[in-house]
């Protein structure tokens, strides 16, 4: 009996000793995981009504939620609104909010918060760079110009759970627009108490999305941590416990960072595609960018259209693009083949639209120089990104233009961020730029050339063109394909932007990370459904 007691005691001791060695250690689930992501600069503001850069937009779309949202297939699904009705004339949208909506501090969120958010976006006082995206809403454009009061906006709240949006004209893209930052709600009391600092620090942010930025979780210059919003009432609950956005001072090698485990996902360089494939990273590709030559039409020399015509008509595109990567396709048209009007291929409706200037380049150049009181073309600089593809194209281009003009063309490579800043500020003569398409219709390309557009390639300004695009916004049908074609021809034959080639954009996720939602066009990333399996 004594011997039996000794055996039992020994077994019990082993059982106790086993606990701290991990015998009953709880295994981490995707719900416990933290997604790591690199951002290359710190956002100036996370105020949805005024933010207008890729990093800010990405964060806003993870911490706020509009009336509707996009799923992983880019289909419209319910967001803060559970259901909605559309009138027979497609001009009135009635949204029914989910029950029990709350802000990230626990306060009730009602339809009036959406009304105030829309009013702030279009108010002249706000001076929002994205206000124009809401101009299909009744009186929005007049309010933005200062000719109408914000109270006249066609967004109302008949009760605390209903938002009604009235449009000036049917807008087939309005639901997609409602997923973007300017359509996010805003708590009026919180905004006014922020005294001009709304969205600029973690204690001045009040959001309603799947994630939130708690006080003390925005470490300036280091990282921003997105925590699960305990009050979020969406149809689907967020999977990861949080998202850590590491602020880097230099552009990282994203592909290598994913392989090394420093980050979980991100946009990779096309030159790293083979490496990503060899490492079996999860890849997502989009055909939504056009690379082309932008000629600054506000430059003292290049404002002459015949000089621009001469430079572009001298190009042998086959020779220029002979060394392109396999994922690049020569582009003759400005609007991509994927563009649609009412579910019909725009290109099939409109046909080919090519560069129509066929006069001898030397004659055009001489005429342009004479009109500009010049005897020769001065030296010019071509800005370009620092990737191998683009630099090869520029080298071939310089050879062609040196032969035509006898002038000296200087190549100046730089980071994509710096190049974008130079284009936006107009501080360039000629540049190889990337035109990001912002939607599925032809307007997703053409609106980039309106006078009020940010990053307008070639600094193109035309009242006639602006009026044409404004009319197309109000009525984009199969019957208007010829008018779209006319607008496309205006841009191509103004010689401010010359399409060169299309190229896929690639996003990669680590082997143990899946279901990160990458959206085309705007380049937004949704972490809500991301599943990260902890590696042993």
């Amino acid at each position: 009996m004594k011997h039996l007691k000794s055996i039992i005691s020994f077994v019990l001791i082993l059982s106790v000793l086993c606990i701290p060695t991990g015998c009953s250690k709880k295994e981490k689930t995707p719900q416990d995981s933290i997604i790591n992501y690199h951002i290359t600069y710190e956002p100036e503001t996370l105020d949805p009504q005024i933010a207008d850069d890729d990093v800010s937009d990405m964060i806003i779309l993870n911490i706020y939620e509009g009336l509707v949202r996009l799923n992983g297939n880019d289909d419209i699904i319910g967001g803060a609104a559970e259901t909605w009705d559309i009138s027979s004339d497609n001009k009135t949208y009635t949204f029914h909010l989910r029950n029990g909506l709350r802000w990230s501090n626990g306060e009730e969120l009602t339809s009036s918060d959406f009304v105030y958010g829309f009013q702030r976006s279009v108010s002249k006082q706000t001076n929002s760079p994205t206000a124009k995206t809401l101009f299909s809403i009744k009186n929005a454009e007049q309010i933005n110009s200062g000719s109408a009061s914000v109270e006249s906006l066609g967004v109302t709240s008949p009760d605390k759970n209903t938002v009604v949006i009235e449009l000036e004209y049917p807008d087939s893209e309005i639901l997609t627009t409602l997923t973007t930052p300017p359509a996010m709600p805003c708590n009026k009391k919180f905004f006014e108490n922020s005294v001009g600092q709304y969205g600029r620090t973690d204690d001045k942010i009040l959001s309603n999305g799947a994630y939130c930025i708690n006080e003390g979780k925005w470490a300036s210059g280091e990282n921003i941590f997105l925590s699960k919003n305990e009050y979020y009432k969406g149809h689907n609950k967020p999977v990861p416990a949080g998202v850590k956005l590491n602020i880097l001072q230099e552009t990282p090698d994203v592909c290598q960072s994913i392989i090394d485990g420093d980050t979980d996902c991100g946009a990779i360089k096309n030159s790293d595609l083979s490496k990503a494939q060899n490492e079996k990273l999860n890849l997502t590709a989009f055909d939504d960018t056009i690379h082309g030559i932008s000629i600054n039409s506000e430059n003292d020399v290049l404002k002459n259209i015949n000089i621009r015509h001469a430079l572009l008509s001298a190009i042998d595109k086959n020779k220029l693009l002979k060394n392109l990567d396999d994922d690049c396709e020569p582009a003759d048209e400005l609007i991509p083949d994927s563009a649609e009007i009412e579910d019909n291929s725009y290109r099939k409706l409109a046909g080919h639209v090519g560069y129509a200037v066929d006069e001898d380049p030397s004659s055009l150049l001489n005429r342009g120089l004479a009109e500009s009181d010049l005897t020769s073309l001065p030296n010019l600089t071509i800005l370009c990104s620092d990737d191998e593809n683009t630099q090869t194209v520029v080298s071939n281009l310089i050879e062609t233009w040196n032969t035509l003009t006898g002038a000296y063309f200087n190549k100046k490579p730089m980071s994509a961020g710096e190049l974008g800043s130079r284009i936006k500020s107009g501080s360039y003569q000629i540049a190889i730029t990337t035109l990001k398409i912002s939607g599925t219709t032809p307007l997703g390309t053409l609106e980039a050339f309106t006078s009020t557009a940010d990053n307008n390639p070639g600094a193109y300004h035309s009242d006639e063109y602006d009026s044409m695009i404004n009319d197309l916004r109000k009525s984009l049908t199969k019957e208007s394909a010829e008018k779209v074609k006319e607008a496309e021809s205006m841009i191509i034959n103004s010689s401010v932007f010359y399409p060169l080639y299309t190229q896929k954009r690639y996003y990669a996720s680590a082997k143990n990370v899946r279901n990160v939602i990458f959206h085309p066009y705007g380049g937004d990333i949704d972490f809500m459904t991301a599943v990260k399996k902890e590696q042993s």
Side-chain angles (χ1 to χ4, degrees), residues 132-179:
K132 60 182 177 291
T133 65
L134 301 176
F135 281 179
S136 63
I137 297 177
K138 185 177 179 180
N139 293 329
E141 190 168 5
Q142 294 90 326
I143 293 167
N144 191 249
S145 68
S147 61
S149 68
V150 293
E151 289 76 20
S152 66
L153 183 66
V155 182
T156 55
S157 55
D159 59 61
K160 72 175 188 176
N161 292 315
T162 308
V163 178
V164 178
I165 298 178
E166 296 177 80
L167 304 181
E168 293 275 9
Y169 48 85
D171 179 359
S172 62
E173 295 289 303
I174 186 63
L175 288 175
T176 301
T177 301
L178 297 185
T179 70

Side-chain angles (χ1 to χ4, degrees), residues 292-297 299 301-302 307-308 311-312 315 377-385 394 397-398 401 405 408-412 414 419 422-423 426-433 458 495-498 500:
I293 302 170
S294 290
I295 301 181
N296 191 341
S297 59
N299 177 267
V301 175
L302 299 171
I307 292 177
R308 300 199 305 270
L311 293 174
L312 297 183
I315 293 173
L377 198 66
N379 296 338
L380 296 169
T381 298
I382 305 173
L383 306 187
C384 63
S385 59
V394 173
L397 188 61
I398 288 174
W401 284 350
T405 67
Y408 176 75
F409 287 83
N410 175 48
K411 176 175 68 174
K412 188 171 183 178
M414 57 187 60
L419 179 60
R422 293 285 293 269
I423 298 297
S427 303
Y428 69 100
Q429 295 170 320
I430 303 172
I432 305 298
T433 57
S495 292
V496 294
F497 184 83
Y498 183 82
L500 288 175

Side-chain angles (χ1 to χ4, degrees), residues 172-173 335-349 437 439-445 476-478 480-481 484 521:
S172 62
E173 295 289 303
I335 296 172
D337 291 341
S338 59
E340 294 184 341
I341 300 178
E342 296 183 326
D343 295 326
N344 294 277
S345 166
Y346 161 68
R347 191 56 61 203
K348 288 182 178 179
L349 292 171
I437 301 160
T440 59
T441 73
L443 293 181
T445 303
L476 184 62
T477 64
K478 289 189 298 182
S480 58
V484 175
Y521 311 121

Side-chain angles (χ1 to χ4, degrees), residues 87-119:
S87 64
S88 58
D89 63 358
N90 292 311
K91 291 172 63 176
T92 302
Y93 289 68
T94 303
F95 296 89
H96 308 284
L97 302 185
R98 298 181 187 277
N99 292 325
L101 292 181
R102 297 197 172 275
W103 290 99
S104 53
N105 64 355
E107 289 185 19
E108 184 181 29
L109 186 152
T110 68
S111 55
S112 62
D113 294 314
F114 277 97
V115 173
Y116 185 64
F118 281 102
Q119 289 178 343

Side-chain angles (χ1 to χ4, degrees), residues 12-25:
L12 288 172
I13 290 169
L14 281 179
S15 300
V16 172
L17 288 173
C18 188
I19 294 172
T21 64
C23 295
S24 62
K25 184 178 179 180

Side-chain angles (χ1 to χ4, degrees), residues 233-268:
K233 296 291 184 180
H235 178 69
N236 296 309
K237 301 303 179 187
V239 177
V243 181
K244 186 179 182 182
L245 305 172
N246 298 297
I247 303 167
L248 304 183
Q249 302 306 315
E250 297 181 358
T251 303
D253 181 339
V254 176
C255 186
Q256 192 60 49
S257 295
I258 295 173
I259 294 168
D260 294 341
D262 296 328
T263 190
D264 289 313
C265 58
I268 63 170

